[in-house]
Amino acid sequence: MTRGCEHPGGSHDGAVPTRASATVGARLWLLVEYPGAWPSHLENFELPDNISELVRRALDRGIRPQLIRRPGRRTRPRQQGLRVIVAYGTGPTPWLASGVIAGPDDLDLDALVAGVVPESCILDDEPVFLVCTHAKRNACCARIGLPLARELAEILPDRVWETSHVGGDRYAANLVCLPHGIFYGSMSQAAAIAAANAYRSGEIILDRYRGRAGIPEPLQAVEHFARSHTGECSVGAVAVESSRSDGDVTEAIVRVSARSGGDVRLRVVVEPSAWQAPCGTACAETITTYRLVSLDRLTPVRYTTFALT
């Protein structure tokens, strides 16, 4: 078990920068409900055979597998089979679908990769919110995440799940908004409720925003600065049109909705910094941060909304 926090609180209050830290390798998601004991690493396949097989198939296809359970619930669900949720987080119209399957052969993960809803699932028009509570990866995630998940579930019943490791223990409590894969970190109850309500309205709050999963970190930083300088908060109204990197410097053209002033050109630079949490070594590491070097507005164009790609 990973050593976790030994203090009563204080090191996960937003002091560590969260910008441009969302998990890069996650555009497609498979969530499997499993209230039993979660192993420290899903890829070790220390789970019931049917769930291990689903995890294996997901990993083979580049799909991010997550175990989920209802906040506070540790008993097995009553329905027969496995409850699964799949999320397609790429392209202009990300989507969610869910279903109950008898076994791995009843879930067509190749369809998910192709952007098609598997036949065993039904499209869901409401978002899903994941709170990492994976104690075997880091005690902070359970200590801070568990009460947050329960509190958020009281506000949004049936839309909130506890989940296994999502990446970034130092940012506990972590909140992931699906299907877009929007990451937030160091969340308090008030911050989580505000972020969830904003996402349900199709918007992003920059406070404690880690970025969007599946996008390289420099481009997450570019998107963050474009939003902060234009005031554009719509999820689908900002997109990196083109980019190039030279060492630690990344330059990008970013599409921004015309209502917020149109496109911008940005340059950002990497600035690694050491951060030591007072809670112990498990949360101590070098953090890669980004600094805005320049931002120039381009000629406004007749765009209204753009999808993150």
Side-chain angles (χ1 to χ4, degrees):
M1 175 175 175
T2 304
R3 181 180 172 220
C5 290
E6 299 171 347
H7 74 298
S11 69
H12 296 274
D13 58 1
V16 58
T18 59
R19 181 172 57 239
S21 64
T23 299
V24 172
R27 304 297 300 269
L28 309 174
W29 299 73
L30 168 64
L31 317 180
V32 183
E33 185 176 11
Y34 181 61
W38 295 348
S40 60
H41 294 75
L42 271 62
E43 58 270 27
N44 290 344
F45 308 113
E46 297 170 350
L47 290 160
D49 290 344
N50 55 351
I51 297 179
S52 289
E53 182 59 24
L54 277 173
V55 169
R56 190 188 313 277
R57 294 183 184 187
L59 292 172
D60 287 346
R61 291 163 174 79
I63 299 169
R64 173 88 183 200
Q66 297 285 144
L67 300 179
I68 58 172
R69 60 192 173 208
R70 289 298 186 190
R73 183 182 298 174
R74 294 296 180 270
T75 58
R76 294 186 179 276
R78 293 181 179 180
Q79 79 273 357
Q80 298 293 321
L82 295 172
R83 179 177 298 279
V84 296
I85 301 173
V86 293
Y88 186 78
T90 189
T93 54
W95 49 261
L96 277 171
S98 61
V100 177
I101 61 173
D105 292 337
D106 293 326
L107 181 61
D108 186 357
L109 292 178
D110 291 327
L112 173 61
V113 173
V116 178
V117 177
E119 291 185 359
S120 56
C121 296
I122 300 174
L123 271 176
D124 195 338
D125 58 3
E126 287 289 330
V128 161
F129 301 97
L130 306 179
V131 179
C132 181
T133 60
H134 200 166
K136 286 189 177 180
R137 288 297 290 262
N138 190 283
C140 299
C141 295
R143 181 180 59 80
I144 307 173
L146 283 168
L148 178 62
R150 293 179 184 131
E151 291 161 354
L152 190 58
E154 292 181 1
I155 306 297
L156 297 170
D158 299 327
R159 308 315 304 169
V160 179
W161 297 86
E162 295 180 21
T163 193
S164 53
H165 179 68
V166 297
D169 298 329
R170 62 180 177 269
Y171 301 113
N174 281 294
L175 174 69
V176 182
C177 310
L178 293 177
H180 286 82
I182 302 299
F183 272 57
Y184 289 93
S186 302
M187 298 301 276
S188 65
Q189 179 184 2
I193 292 172
N197 285 335
Y199 184 64
R200 295 178 74 205
S201 299
E203 296 184 345
I204 289 171
I205 293 177
L206 289 183
D207 180 38
R208 310 192 190 199
Y209 176 50
R210 292 182 57 189
R212 182 173 174 183
I215 298 175
E217 289 179 355
L219 300 188
Q220 292 182 36
V222 163
E223 182 227 339
H224 192 287
F225 287 122
R227 289 185 181 278
S228 64
H229 282 264
T230 64
E232 182 56 71
C233 58
S234 174
V235 173
V238 176
V240 177
E241 175 72 6
S242 62
S243 66
R244 64 182 182 88
S245 296
D246 183 8
D248 290 339
V249 178
T250 296
E251 181 174 331
I253 303 295
V254 182
R255 289 186 177 183
V256 181
S257 65
R259 65 173 176 265
S260 296
D263 298 1
V264 293
R265 177 187 290 111
L266 302 92
R267 296 177 72 235
V268 299
V269 62
V270 175
E271 287 192 332
S273 60
W275 177 75
Q276 175 70 48
C279 60
T281 58
C283 298
E285 54 187 295
T286 299
I287 297 174
T288 299
T289 59
Y290 294 84
R291 176 172 56 87
L292 178 64
V293 176
S294 64
L295 184 149
D296 301 309
R297 287 188 178 272
L298 305 178
T299 302
V301 292
R302 295 180 180 178
Y303 300 129
T304 54
T305 58
F306 293 91
L308 289 167
T309 56

